[in-house]
Amino acid sequence: MESIKNLSSRQISFIMNTALIFKEKDYRSEDLKDKIFGLLFFEPSTRTCLSFESAIHRLGGKVIKYNSNYSSEKKGESLEDTIKTIDMYIDVFIIRHPEKNIISKIKKFTNKPIINAGDGDGEHPTQALLDLFTILKYYPKYPNKIAFSGDIKYSRTIHSLVYLLNKLCPDIEFYFVCDKLLEPSNELLSSLKKFKICNDLDYIIKFIDVLYVTRLQKERFNGEIIKSYIIDENLIKNSKSKLIILHPLPRNEELSKDLDNNPKSKYFEQVENGIYVRMSIIYNLFE
Ligand code: NCD
């Protein structure tokens, strides 16, 4: 799974349905007991890495973790040699890397399935699927209006989720709330039917169904000074009763802790859903 764009609607609904069964049953099994998964994270991660690991354990699979700080990369080994080596140890690659589109390069070095766990400021397809799973619980027929705030340009989670929602329901209206320097690319916008770039959160909060907040991806900036939008209880007091607030986490100052116990906040539910959706993704690889 390199990009969300390659998944068919049938595959997506299969992943959603299986994830729901896994969640409802708190499913544990030995179904994947013969499979070894390689987790290769060349960028920091808490939720993606550990939820994959938990998902693999719940299905009886085995995990090998590659740590770039303690590996031959430090002795100058190429990515190609690293991949060709690990290919002999495992059945599935799960890879996060700072370079956009790296998965298409890595595919040349292995025939094993590769799951993209985030490629630079490119995509994050498994996060988009767990975001979708969370959204569908509250909007089984899709939301009408969804706003994205924070860092639209560099947030791979936003890119994948926008492509995914637009593929499944092209009538959704997308609102992008961000600093001028963090606006979505033309590539993303040209795929959308209905969108607005705006900076008035107080206005749009009154009519949106979903607010998807992201942190500024400072590790991808070149020293620019950028405005951060703050989401707090005060901002959402005029929102619709059915509004849900999502965030892929980790958060910085953009999402106030005062929202954590608000019933509209669903970001910790996203974290939990990450386990079931990732179980479903790896399970479906072998179906
Ligand atoms: C995101 C990521 O790594 O893209 N985190 C995640 O996987 N849940 C978001 C981020 O880093 O801001």
Side-chain angles (χ1 to χ4, degrees), residues 44 47-48 96 124 127 156-157 215 217 219 248-250:
R47 276 152 290 271
T48 307
R96 168 171 289 189
H124 196 342
Q127 176 73 37
R156 53 195 174 203
T157 67
R215 73 179 173 95
Q217 304 271 305
E219 68 272 35
L249 303 177

Side-chain angles (χ1 to χ4, degrees), residues 87-104:
D87 174 87
M88 294 181 229
Y89 306 149
I90 57 141
D91 301 298
V92 178
F93 282 95
I94 299 174
I95 302 180
R96 168 171 289 189
H97 197 280
E99 191 180 317
K100 184 177 175 176
N101 295 330
I102 190 78
I103 307 295
S104 54

Side-chain angles (χ1 to χ4, degrees), residues 41 43-49 96 117-120 123-124 126-127 130-131 154-158 212 214-217 219-220 247-252 254 271 278:
F41 280 66
E43 258 193 3
S45 172
T46 299
R47 276 152 290 271
T48 307
C49 187
R96 168 171 289 189
D119 60 313
E123 280 211 48
H124 196 342
T126 68
Q127 176 73 37
L130 77 88
D131 295 338
Y154 296 110
S155 284
R156 53 195 174 203
T157 67
I158 295 185
Y212 190 100
T214 55
R215 73 179 173 95
L216 302 184
Q217 304 271 305
E219 68 272 35
R220 308 192 204 283
H247 192 308
L249 303 177
R251 70 171 139 187
N252 296 146
E254 74 285 348
V271 176
R278 292 191 167 107

